[in-house]
Amino acid sequence: MHPAPVLRLVLAALLAVSGALALAQPQKAPAAYEPAVGQEGKDVVWVPTSQALVDRMLDMAKVTPRDIVMDLGSGDGRTVITAAKRGATAMGIEYNPDMVALSKKNAEKEGVSARATFMKADLFETDLSKATVITMFLLPEINLKLRPKILALKPGTRVVSNTFTMGEWKADQTAELREEAGCSSWCTALLWIVPARVAGRYTIADGELVLKQDFQMLSGTLRAAGGPVTVEGRVRGEEVTFKANGKQYRGRMNNGKLELR
Ligand SMILES: C[S@@+](CC[C@H](N)C(=O)[O-])C[C@H]1O[C@@H](n2cnc3c(N)ncnc32)[C@H](O)[C@@H]1O
């Protein structure tokens, strides 16, 4: 036989054998997605909150199984998963689809996918109205942009932020974790409670009350029998407290009405 057809036959045989061998090899699984700290995000890069601070943030918000928790920019899903482990219904909003897939996988591994769900979405376009607790680790300017939407939520909604503030709306509570507590960077948790709208004029047993409101802080005057006195107070969700003429007043807002106890 001419050498060329022989060579072709040998080559064909070799190819057949190597093909069969390749098929017999176990198929390599595609490499698992691994996020890198500092990787780009739509408006904020990804940096995870330490588990110790996640725990503290959820403690400060007093998360219970009755809560609906939303993490805005949920990264690898750790806050949502931790809230779900506490029995809450928790949802992560994350723009990066790879992070959404990763957090779904993490929730499955932790056995909480029924209560921990994730949505590929822009946090600015998301309806927050069902949340009773909002968690976030964003940036001061993003918190400020979100602030009007947060202030319009149901009074009593708790908002917890890792490190970043909300401008002139001062936090109701702040906690800082130390290295020994398991947090080495980004270790401040801040809590706000959405205040009811209280500003207005009310007739109370002691006189005519005029309340001005600056976020959760109240000021104003009480026109009592002995003349007008200044008022100072606070609102925490629907709970209202103020002091006038040395007397402490407590009450709550109910459908725009101030009910004093
Ligand atoms: C600093 S990380 C915080 C991650 C997580 N909340 C935590 O505390 O571990 C911010 C996250 O927000 C996401 N992100 C940035 N801009 C976003 C946007 N407009 N909508 C939704 N997610 C966004 C980023 O991809 C990133 O995962």
Side-chain angles (χ1 to χ4, degrees), residues 204 206 222 240-245 247-251 260:
I204 63 171
D206 291 339
L222 174 63
V240 179
T241 52
F242 63 90
K243 225 176 177 180
N245 221 1
K247 182 172 168 186
Q248 183 70 49
Y249 294 81
R250 286 176 202 285
L260 292 180

Side-chain angles (χ1 to χ4, degrees), residues 144-162:
L144 273 187
K145 218 168 139 189
L146 280 171
R147 198 175 75 182
K149 209 168 163 182
I150 290 176
L151 281 164
L153 293 174
K154 195 173 172 301
T157 305
R158 292 94 83 205
V159 182
V160 216
S161 162
N162 177 348

Side-chain angles (χ1 to χ4, degrees), residues 40-49 54 71-76 78-79 93-96 99 121-124 136-138 162:
E40 282 299 310
K42 182 173 179 287
D43 295 288
V44 191
V45 298
W46 177 64
V47 175
T49 297
V54 168
D71 189 34
L72 306 184
S74 48
D76 64 3
R78 58 185 62 200
T79 307
I93 307 300
E94 170 58 54
Y95 199 77
N96 179 335
M99 295 302 271
D122 187 330
L123 60 92
F124 289 113
M136 54 198 199
F137 180 20
L138 298 167
N162 177 348

Side-chain angles (χ1 to χ4, degrees), residues 15-27:
L15 278 173
V17 170
S18 67
L21 276 176
L23 280 176
Q25 295 289 322
Q27 294 294 299

Side-chain angles (χ1 to χ4, degrees), residues 140 143-144 147 164-171 192 215:
N143 290 1
L144 273 187
R147 198 175 75 182
F164 298 114
T165 56
M166 204 92 76
E168 322 83 81
W169 185 14
K170 299 291 173 236
W192 293 262
F215 303 102

Side-chain angles (χ1 to χ4, degrees), residues 113-193:
S113 10
R115 282 194 309 277
T117 55
F118 298 90
M119 212 163 87
K120 194 261 159 211
D122 187 330
L123 60 92
F124 289 113
E125 317 268 305
T126 304
D127 175 12
L128 311 180
S129 63
K130 296 257 175 346
T132 58
V133 174
I134 287 182
T135 56
M136 54 198 199
F137 180 20
L138 298 167
L139 283 172
E141 59 270 25
I142 296 186
N143 290 1
L144 273 187
K145 218 168 139 189
L146 280 171
R147 198 175 75 182
K149 209 168 163 182
I150 290 176
L151 281 164
L153 293 174
K154 195 173 172 301
T157 305
R158 292 94 83 205
V159 182
V160 216
S161 162
N162 177 348
T163 303
F164 298 114
T165 56
M166 204 92 76
E168 322 83 81
W169 185 14
K170 299 291 173 236
D172 289 291
Q173 200 185 327
T174 304
E176 208 157 318
L177 285 192
R178 295 176 183 227
E179 185 110 38
E180 308 87 84
C183 187
S184 51
S185 55
W186 309 109
C187 298
T188 307
L190 300 108
L191 167 79
W192 293 262
I193 300 186

